[in-house]
Amino acid sequence: MATNSTWRGHLFFGSGRLLYAGPLGETRLHAHHSFQLVLSLGEPVTLGDSRQQVLACGAAVIPPDAGHAVVRTASAAVLLHVSPDDLAGRKLQTLGLARDSVAGWQRAGERLALLASRALPRHWHEAEALAQEMIRALQVDTADPRPAHPAVKQLLGLLPELLEDDVSLEALAARVGLSASRLSHLFSAEVGLPLRPYILWLRLHRAAESLGSGAPLTTAAHAAGFTDSAHLSHTFRRMFGLSPSEIAGVVEWVLPPTP
């Protein structure tokens, strides 16, 4: 994803997902580590793949690490990034999408296209509702697991305050009185996302909070437990195809309400 004056929408950042809503600008060929669900709310979004095939799509599902580009600007669209490691992402993996077939991405998104009459979200609850609706349209069951084990519940409460500390599996297991292997298994089973990717999303979310409040990139990186701004930028780009500096001052950050 590349940003210029065309990319002036809203960026909604929550645990395990990122949603952009607004106009789209042209991009260079790029790839990211997440699934990207594309939904046009106006004229079709023209996408290209790594084989230079180009197709106008009302909707599409782009798999992780697939080279793609927005070939023409579009006035209104939604881009929903879903982690391949969480419950919805693991279900999306079963679609078996080829990384170099824009036609296949379009076919996978046919059910998404039925949502084309939706309005662009501007508030967090609207974006969350649309994200859930988009995932349900693909017939992906995303019922949230409800952690029941007291050690997992304890860890979920501790993690947001530990991002600048030692968050190795061994250190966290010691905090909640479990073996590392037991904690790893329990966390994945009860949360629906392995521990390491969950911590990474927490760190990215913390950085987004800092950036959204106007903090410099280096300050945001350190607040989220990244080594430096380069580490944060590299991770953000790997996950989403863009760096924080590319969107700073262009899109409007929207973060979840504080519980």
Side-chain angles (χ1 to χ4, degrees):
M1 179 175 172
T3 55
N4 52 37
S5 59
T6 306
W7 294 85
R8 291 194 175 276
H10 292 78
L11 192 68
F12 301 86
F13 200 116
S15 178
R17 68 178 53 128
L18 176 148
L19 184 147
Y20 169 82
L24 304 186
E26 297 179 3
T27 73
R28 297 181 297 275
L29 190 73
H30 66 283
H32 34 68
H33 187 56
S34 56
F35 278 95
Q36 187 177 67
L37 279 54
V38 181
L39 172 63
S40 171
L41 301 182
E43 69 274 21
V45 177
T46 304
L47 298 173
D49 61 26
S50 60
R51 293 192 294 171
Q52 298 185 326
Q53 300 176 111
V54 175
L55 194 60
C57 304
V61 180
I62 303 172
D65 305 311
H68 63 282
V70 178
V71 178
R72 295 188 185 90
T73 59
S75 60
V78 172
L79 306 179
L80 173 62
H81 290 263
V82 178
S83 168
D85 301 304
D86 75 1
L87 192 62
R90 294 201 301 272
K91 296 278 189 176
L92 290 172
Q93 299 272 19
T94 65
L95 296 176
L97 297 173
R99 293 179 180 173
D100 59 354
S101 175
V102 65
W105 307 341
Q106 182 192 47
R107 285 193 297 273
E110 286 177 351
R111 293 190 184 96
L112 283 179
L114 299 176
L115 304 177
S117 62
R118 301 300 186 270
L120 280 173
R122 296 186 178 276
H123 304 284
W124 174 259
H125 70 278
E126 297 170 345
E128 181 61 19
L130 180 56
Q132 292 293 341
E133 196 172 10
M134 290 172 71
I135 292 171
R136 284 197 303 269
L138 297 174
Q139 299 183 341
V140 175
D141 180 11
T142 58
D144 289 333
R146 299 295 180 184
H149 195 286
V152 175
K153 289 182 176 180
Q154 180 186 1
L155 185 58
L156 289 173
L158 289 173
L159 277 174
E161 307 306 319
L162 297 177
L163 296 182
E164 298 179 66
D165 299 328
D166 182 0
V167 289
S168 65
L169 179 59
E170 292 75 16
L172 295 176
R175 283 182 178 270
V176 297
L178 294 177
S179 69
S181 60
R182 178 62 172 157
L183 176 60
S184 178
H185 173 76
L186 271 176
F187 195 92
S188 294
E190 298 209 357
V191 178
L193 185 65
L195 181 57
R196 299 315 306 172
Y198 183 87
I199 292 172
L200 178 60
W201 278 99
L202 282 182
R203 283 180 161 162
L204 289 170
H205 184 263
R206 174 70 58 79
E209 286 182 323
S210 297
L211 292 168
S213 64
L217 190 58
T218 298
T219 301
H222 291 159
F226 290 97
T227 307
D228 52 28
S229 60
H231 184 199
L232 170 59
S233 293
H234 173 78
T235 303
F236 217 90
R237 181 178 288 280
R238 180 174 66 85
M239 293 294 288
F240 306 121
L242 74 166
S243 68
S245 60
E246 288 177 314
I247 59 175
V250 179
V251 301
E252 181 176 344
W253 292 84
V254 184
L255 298 168
T258 303

